[in-house]
Amino acid sequence: MAEAIRAQKAIANSGLMSRRAAEEAIASGRVAVDGQTIGLGDRVDVTAQVLTIDGAPIPLNPDLETHLLYKPVGVISSASDPQGRTVVVDLVPSSRRLYPVGRLDSDSEGLILLTNDGELANRVTHPRYGITKKYVALVAGRPSASEVRRLTTGVELSDGPARAVSARIIRESGNEIMVELVLSEGRNREVRRMFEAIGYQVVRLVRTAIGPISDQSLKAGDSRLLSIEEISRLLASGTTTS
């Protein structure tokens, strides 16, 4: 166990805010350690305890890493593959043991997180936290605006009903349209199956955002570390539901 340090110093060391701002947050009752509200001068073990502001965890442990990767088509969203195929961890330069947060199908592409932070992984993947994922789908055929709206009212899939938070046509070209969707869960091949439920086939699927995190500069196969500020915004973006 590492030596505990004052909470305001731990927050300032994370780079999330200044020490003075951290002290103000603590004084106003917004900061907790392992679920218990703390006061000025209280200490935290950054490697063993969870420090939160307004209920959102603050990443403090220097051994934790979270990377944002643009997964190319054909790469498997796993830490290993018995068939020897390329997996997402092969594309991220790190000496730490990372694992993907959620999944992107082999024939889909776009943003995926890789981390060794179990708390972050749970927050991003568990439906109760409501952290959304945004997708752009290229769809064969010409579903009408009313058909696309069906995705937000709900369609029936083999594993139960599914509903998009939002869905809108963003481009039409020939016999294809491009639809932007936001989902609050991530079941297996969910976007593709939702379109199949209204009678259309997805030709290309790209995940463009995870909560507030996006990066249009990343090309297929590129990755980068998330900053402390980005991780904090990501963790704070969900809303716990009972």
Side-chain angles (χ1 to χ4, degrees):
M1 178 178 288
E3 181 181 354
I5 62 174
R6 292 184 187 275
Q8 57 263 43
K9 181 179 180 182
I11 297 171
N13 288 349
S14 77
L16 178 62
M17 60 180 68
S18 69
R19 185 161 182 159
R20 179 166 183 173
E23 290 172 348
E24 291 174 352
I26 294 170
S28 62
R30 298 169 55 206
V31 180
V33 173
D34 291 342
Q36 299 297 314
T37 302
I38 63 170
L40 285 171
D42 287 349
R43 294 174 177 268
V44 59
D45 179 348
V46 300
T47 64
Q49 294 181 295
V50 177
L51 187 66
T52 60
I53 291 184
D54 299 328
I58 306 167
L60 300 175
N61 189 338
D63 295 328
L64 298 180
E65 283 184 7
T66 300
H67 298 252
L68 182 67
L69 169 70
Y70 189 117
K71 186 193 86 67
V73 171
V75 174
I76 308 302
S77 296
S78 177
S80 62
D81 182 69
Q83 300 179 40
R85 295 170 296 181
T86 301
V87 296
V88 287
V89 296
D90 295 333
L91 305 181
V92 176
S94 175
S95 60
R96 303 190 189 279
R97 186 175 181 180
L98 305 176
Y99 50 92
V101 179
R103 297 183 62 84
L104 265 180
D105 303 321
S106 173
D107 50 357
S108 300
E109 61 189 285
L111 301 181
I112 187 169
L113 298 173
L114 289 92
T115 191
N116 59 353
D117 185 339
E119 176 64 23
L120 180 145
N122 180 57
R123 288 235 168 192
V124 173
T125 57
H126 201 295
R128 75 186 294 260
Y129 294 107
I131 294 180
T132 60
K133 289 82 179 176
K134 184 183 292 184
Y135 301 84
V136 171
L138 183 63
V139 181
R142 296 294 294 269
S144 66
S146 62
E147 287 179 305
V148 170
R149 280 196 298 272
R150 280 187 56 198
L151 301 176
T152 63
T153 58
V155 294
E156 192 66 34
L157 304 181
S158 60
D159 52 356
R163 183 176 67 86
V165 175
S166 64
R168 64 187 183 97
I169 298 172
I170 57 175
R171 195 176 76 190
E172 301 183 35
S173 176
N175 197 39
E176 294 178 333
I177 67 166
M178 194 170 286
V179 179
E180 180 187 85
L181 302 94
V182 176
L183 301 183
S184 60
E185 59 179 8
R187 283 185 269 167
N188 183 43
R189 301 180 68 81
E190 186 172 16
V191 173
R192 296 178 185 276
R193 292 191 293 135
M194 288 174 72
F195 274 102
E196 288 170 2
I198 64 171
Y200 296 91
Q201 194 77 24
V202 172
V203 177
R204 183 186 182 196
L205 183 62
V206 183
R207 183 192 283 163
T208 59
I210 302 168
I213 306 302
S214 62
D215 191 333
Q216 295 183 9
S217 70
L218 289 180
K219 307 301 181 186
D222 290 347
S223 67
R224 66 170 177 82
L225 276 168
L226 286 190
S227 68
I228 294 295
E229 191 273 336
E230 286 178 309
I231 293 172
S232 296
R233 284 196 293 118
L234 175 64
L235 294 174
S237 67
T239 55
T240 304
T241 57
S242 57

